[in-house]
Structures are given as C-alpha cells and as structure tokens.
C-alpha cells in the first residue's frame, strides 16, 4: 500500500467514530430532568472488583470527544512525508484515536485509567519514530513525566474507590452519587493531591509543564496537533470528571490554590511564549497559557461558594468551551507549522518575512487562527474566555483581574509572530528560493477546522446546550 493510499484509508477509518458521535449529539437530550449520562453501554468485565465495560457520554464528554474525533480525522488527512513507514504511522494514529476516545467515553474509573495510560504509548511512538531532531529524547521525557502522573492518578483512584467501605465499584456514576470522601480529612486531601498532580502534568500546569515544548518541537505536525488538541484535554477533562464531580467538598476546600496555580500557568506560559524565537515552541507555550484559563474556570466552578451557582456554572461551561476552542485553534496552528517544515525544514521566526505575498492562503488561515487564539470577539476563543472570566470574577475577582494580564501578553505574542512571518521585507531560510502556498488537502482540512472556530464565535448555542446541561447537573444554578 502506498503512503497516499494509507493516508486515505486512515482518514476513512477515523471518520467512522466522528460520524457515530455526531449521531449521538443529534439525539442528545438537553432538557431539564434528562439523564446526565446518555448512550450508555454497560457490560461486565471483572465483576468481583466491580469493574465493568461502561461507556457513555454527558454533554461535556460528548463535545470534547467529538472535537477529538474531528482532530484525529484532520491529522490523518493532513499530507506529510513519511518515507517507507507510512502504514505504521497511520496505524499508531488510529490506535491513539481509539484509546483517546476511550478516555472521554469511559464511565468506569479503571477503564478510564487503562485508556489514559495507553495514550502515552501511542504518542511516545509517534514522537520518537516520526519526529525530527532529538525526537527520541523528547519522546522519553514525555513518557516519563506523564507516566509519573499516571501512577499518581492510579494511587488516587484506589484511595477514592476504597474510601467508604461500601460495595466495591469503579462505576463513575455510582461514585459521583456516593461522594466517597465527603468527610474530608488528610486522606481526602492526599487523594485530591494525587489527582491534581497527575492531571496537572497532562494539562500541563506550571511547574510540571517542561515536557511539553520539546515534545511539540520534535514531533511531526499532525502529532503536535493531536498532543495539543486532544491529549492535553485529558488532564482538564479528568479534573472535571473525577475530583470535581466525585469529591466536590474536598475540591472546594483547595479550589483557591488550584486557581492560583492556574493563574501562574497563564502568566508564565504567556511570558515565556513571548520570548521564544521558534514558532512551534512559541505556540507550545501558549498551550500552557490557554490550559491555565481552563483550569481557572474549573477551580472557580468547584469553589462551592453559596449563592454563586450560576457564576460557577458559567465558569465550568467556559472551561469546556475553551477545551474545544483550543483543540480547533491550536490544532490548526500546529498543522500550519507542519506546512512550514514540509517546505523549508525550518521553524525559526527570524528566517521568515513577507510571506503574505508568496502564500496568501496560509497567511489568511494563520492570522485567523492567531486572532481566535488571542480571544478576538466573533471567534471561538472569545466565547470561552468571556465565560471563564465572567464566572471567575463573581467567585474570585482578584484571580480574574490578574489573569486578564495573560490576554494582553497573548495578544502581543501572536501579533509579533504574525508580523515577523508574513509582513515586512521578504525573507526565506538559507538555501530556500521559493515557498509554496497551501495545497488542496491542506486547504480542505484547515477550512473545516477554522470554519468551526468562526461558527462557535458567531453562533455558540449548538455547542453550549449540551455543556450547560451537564454543568447544571454537576453544579446546579439557573441553567
């Protein structure tokens, strides 16, 4: 099978789960009183341990999983030079898609952990075997950091499941209802610490984010898009699904500290990104910044301050919209860095200038994604960040006020990057005499992703309805 045929086959296979998730979305009941989890499948796996093959979605899982399926389809369809190992590359893409969607669809804690751990394997091989530069070292650092996080999560899962002495079960729905560590205490604090540490590495939050830049820079562009758009979401999704939902009182006790860590990540990620001279490394650090917004919204949502239920619900809705928006926007940006690499093998910002005249389609797509990432009204990033800041301001106004500085820094880093690459005196890397504009397959993929960025910005109701239904079930409020 040729590389082109392997790419088309992988794209066709990856379209199947996307079509199934869209079908579930069309039938998802968002009315008050509807079941929180829908499209549920529950089969026995290890009955003596209370472990089952339990799958299903609430509104949060549904939108994140659907965005992830779309991004995997985009990554599979994105043209890339692979040499003789094309089939293995696309096989790992499809393997990673299967286990990643498993994370978002699992309703069993042990099943969630199995899928969470297997995602490390898929990304490790994609970075290590098909990356460039010192890709082996980057893949090893990624694996060791995230494996350490996984082990912390495993210990926390066991501490949570064995907490209340009731019938042993890993059923997430049962654990949300039981709230096993509602009495608080040292044990509850340690279990929460395990979850926050493990999911914080995956998110990634300062100071456990250092695995992210080398992984992004050395990975092939489609793998970078998946890493930013899907794998980072496992951290924030896990924070919502497990500690926020299953140990809400303990989460509330430490929510302010989680919010402070998110604030540091927002400011640190933006400041360090501003100083980067490599376009892929700069975009990588913006992920630390943007996922900080998501965690800030989650922390505000979990604060349990009486009388602010509507604001907490707004913050949680904004956090989930930020997950979707960041996946589409940053996924597009990383795919476009792949276009640079395919043409010149160079990421240095100083090597480029005046590309707007040579590549107008790439210029338009990059500027649109950059403006969406800095939160321009009418685009997806604004919808997410407005809700996060509005919700957080009602709960922790000083956190929201300081986090706004991150918006200014993000605008500065994207505008300087756009000016450097696309405007001014024309410049190309040494040894390069031409720079081709986007081609057919690249235009198709980016058009779909960026059209959704605009659609969410001008008509977000179709995305907000399922998220709000789940936020209402988790937090309450006016909805």
């Amino acid at each position: 099978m040729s590389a082109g045929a392997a790419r088309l086959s992988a794209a066709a296979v990856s379209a199947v789960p996307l079509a199934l998730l869209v079908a579930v979305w069309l039938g998802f009941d968002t009315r008050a009183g509807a079941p929180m989890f829908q499209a549920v499948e529950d089969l026995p796996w290890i009955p003596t341990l209370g472990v089952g093959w339990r799958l299903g979605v609430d509104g949060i899982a549904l939108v994140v999983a659907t965005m992830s399926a779309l991004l995997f389809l985009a990554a599979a369809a994105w043209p890339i030079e692979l040499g003789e190992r094309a089939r293995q590359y696309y096989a790992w893409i499809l393997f990673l898609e299967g286990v990643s969607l498993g994370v978002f669809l699992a309703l069993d804690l042990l099943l969630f952990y199995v899928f969470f751990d297997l995602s490390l394997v898929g990304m490790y091989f994609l970075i290590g075997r098909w990356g460039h530069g010192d890709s082996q070292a980057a893949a090893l650092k990624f694996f060791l950091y995230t494996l350490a996080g996984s082990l912390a999560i495993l210990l926390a899962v066991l501490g949570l499941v064995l907490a209340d002495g009731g019938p042993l079960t890993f059923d997430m729905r049962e654990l949300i209802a039981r709230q096993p560590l509602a009495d608080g205490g040292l044990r509850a604090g340690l279990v929460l610490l395990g979850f926050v540490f493990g999911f914080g590495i995956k998110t990634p939050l300062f100071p456990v984010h250092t695995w992210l830049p080398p992984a992004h820079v050395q990975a092939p562009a489609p793998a970078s898009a998946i890493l930013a758009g899907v794998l980072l979401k496992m951290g924030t999704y896990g924070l919502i699904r497990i500690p926020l939902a299953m140990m809400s009182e303990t989460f509330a006790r430490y929510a302010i500290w989680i919010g402070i860590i998110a604030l540091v990540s927002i400011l640190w990620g933006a400041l360090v990104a501003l100083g980067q001279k490599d376009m892929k490394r700069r975009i990588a650090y913006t992920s630390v910044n943007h996922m900080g917004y998501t965690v800030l919204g989650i922390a505000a949502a979990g604060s349990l301050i009486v009388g602010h239920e509507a604001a907490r619900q707004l913050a949680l809705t904004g956090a989930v919209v930020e997950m979707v928006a960041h996946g589409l926007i940053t996924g597009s940006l990383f795919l476009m860095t792949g276009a640079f690499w395919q043409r010149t093998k160079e990421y240095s910002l100083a090597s480029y200038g005046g590309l707007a005249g040579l590549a107008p389609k790439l210029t338009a797509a990059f500027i649109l994604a950059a403006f969406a990432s800095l939160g321009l009204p009418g685009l997806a990033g604004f919808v997410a960040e407005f809700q996060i800041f509005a919700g957080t301001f009602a709960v922790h106004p000083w956190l929201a006020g300081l986090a706004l500085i991150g918006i200014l820094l993000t605008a500065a880093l994207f505008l300087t990057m756009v000016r450097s690459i696309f405007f001014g005196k024309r410049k190309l890397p040494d040894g390069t005499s031409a720079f081709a504009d986007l081609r057919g397959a690249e235009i198709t993929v980016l058009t779909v992703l960026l059209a959704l960025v605009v659609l969410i910005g001008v008509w977000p109701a179709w995305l907000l309805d399922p998220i709000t239904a789940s936020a209402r079930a988790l937090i309450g409020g006016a909805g």
Side-chain angles (χ1 to χ4, degrees), residues 396-460:
H396 300 301
W398 63 276
L399 270 181
L402 291 174
L404 278 172
I405 299 171
I407 299 280
L408 294 175
L409 294 172
T410 306
L413 71 91
F414 272 112
L415 292 176
T416 55
M417 183 162 61
V418 166
R419 185 191 61 187
S420 168
I421 298 173
F422 297 105
F423 301 106
K425 184 180 179 182
R426 183 171 296 171
K427 187 165 50 173
L428 288 172
D430 293 341
T432 305
S433 57
F435 190 93
D437 204 352
L438 293 175
R439 302 183 179 95
E442 296 168 329
I443 293 171
T444 302
V445 169
L446 291 174
T447 298
V448 172
L449 296 179
L450 295 176
L452 284 171
V453 170
V454 176
L455 182 62
I456 294 171
V458 298
W459 183 52

Side-chain angles (χ1 to χ4, degrees), residues 348-361:
S348 172
L349 292 171
S351 298
Y352 297 99
L355 291 189
L358 287 175
K361 298 183 182 71

Side-chain angles (χ1 to χ4, degrees), residues 201-228:
I201 289 177
K202 196 79 166 186
T203 296
L205 290 173
F206 178 88
V208 289
H209 66 287
T210 57
W211 61 269
L212 183 72
H216 269 309
V217 172
Q218 313 303 343
S224 288
I226 294 170
L227 180 59

Side-chain angles (χ1 to χ4, degrees), residues 29 81-82 107 116 123 144 183 194 198 243 247 284 389 416 424 436 438 457:
D29 189 351
E81 295 174 4
L82 293 168
L107 293 182
F116 190 91
M123 185 52 71
L144 291 178
D183 58 342
M247 42 194 310
F389 280 105
T416 55
L438 293 175

Side-chain angles (χ1 to χ4, degrees), residues 129-328:
R129 296 193 64 182
W130 288 277
H132 41 74
D134 199 2
S135 60
Q136 295 286 343
L140 181 62
K141 189 173 185 180
F142 158 79
F143 193 89
L144 291 178
Y145 263 69
T146 47
L147 181 63
S150 293
L151 294 176
I153 291 170
L154 177 60
L155 292 175
V157 165
L158 293 175
L160 180 69
V161 169
L162 301 174
D164 65 355
L168 187 61
T169 182
F170 285 80
D171 189 331
M172 288 182 169
R173 297 162 296 178
E174 180 68 21
L175 292 168
I176 291 172
R178 281 192 196 178
Q179 295 286 309
L181 289 166
D183 58 342
L186 178 61
R187 180 173 181 171
L190 291 174
V191 169
L192 180 70
L193 179 62
F195 282 128
V196 172
F197 177 73
F199 290 130
I201 289 177
K202 196 79 166 186
T203 296
L205 290 173
F206 178 88
V208 289
H209 66 287
T210 57
W211 61 269
L212 183 72
H216 269 309
V217 172
Q218 313 303 343
S224 288
I226 294 170
L227 180 59
V230 180
L231 266 65
L232 304 191
K233 308 303 175 297
M234 294 179 187
T236 48
Y237 176 80
L239 283 174
I240 295 171
R241 176 60 67 232
I242 302 177
L244 177 66
M246 297 178 190
M247 42 194 310
S248 56
E249 292 186 14
T250 305
F251 190 96
R253 191 169 302 124
Y254 297 96
I256 186 65
W257 295 107
I258 297 172
I260 291 171
I261 294 172
L263 173 64
V264 174
S265 298
I266 290 169
L267 300 179
W268 178 261
L271 277 171
V272 177
L274 189 58
Q276 299 303 310
K277 306 301 182 187
D278 177 300
M279 71 172 76
K280 213 174 181 189
R281 185 175 284 270
R282 178 173 288 202
I283 297 169
Y285 271 106
T286 66
S287 289
V288 179
N289 163 262
H290 281 91
M291 298 314 291
Y293 294 134
T294 304
V295 176
L296 181 66
I298 296 170
S303 61
L304 270 186
I305 294 178
V306 176
H308 288 94
E309 286 78 7
R312 292 169 46 222
Q313 181 182 313
L314 188 63
L316 181 58
T317 303
V320 179
V321 175
E322 180 72 30
M323 292 163 67
V324 175
H326 180 264
L328 296 172

Side-chain angles (χ1 to χ4, degrees), residues 68-95:
S68 300
L70 175 63
L71 209 52
F72 271 105
L73 173 57
W78 188 261
I80 181 174
E81 295 174 4
L82 293 168
E84 298 178 351
R85 296 179 295 172
R87 287 183 300 171
Q88 294 93 325
Y89 169 82
Y90 288 111
W92 279 114
I93 290 277
L94 294 177
F95 170 82

Side-chain angles (χ1 to χ4, degrees), residues 21-33:
L21 284 163
V22 170
V24 172
W25 192 318
L26 294 175
F28 192 80
D29 189 351
T30 59
R31 293 173 297 183

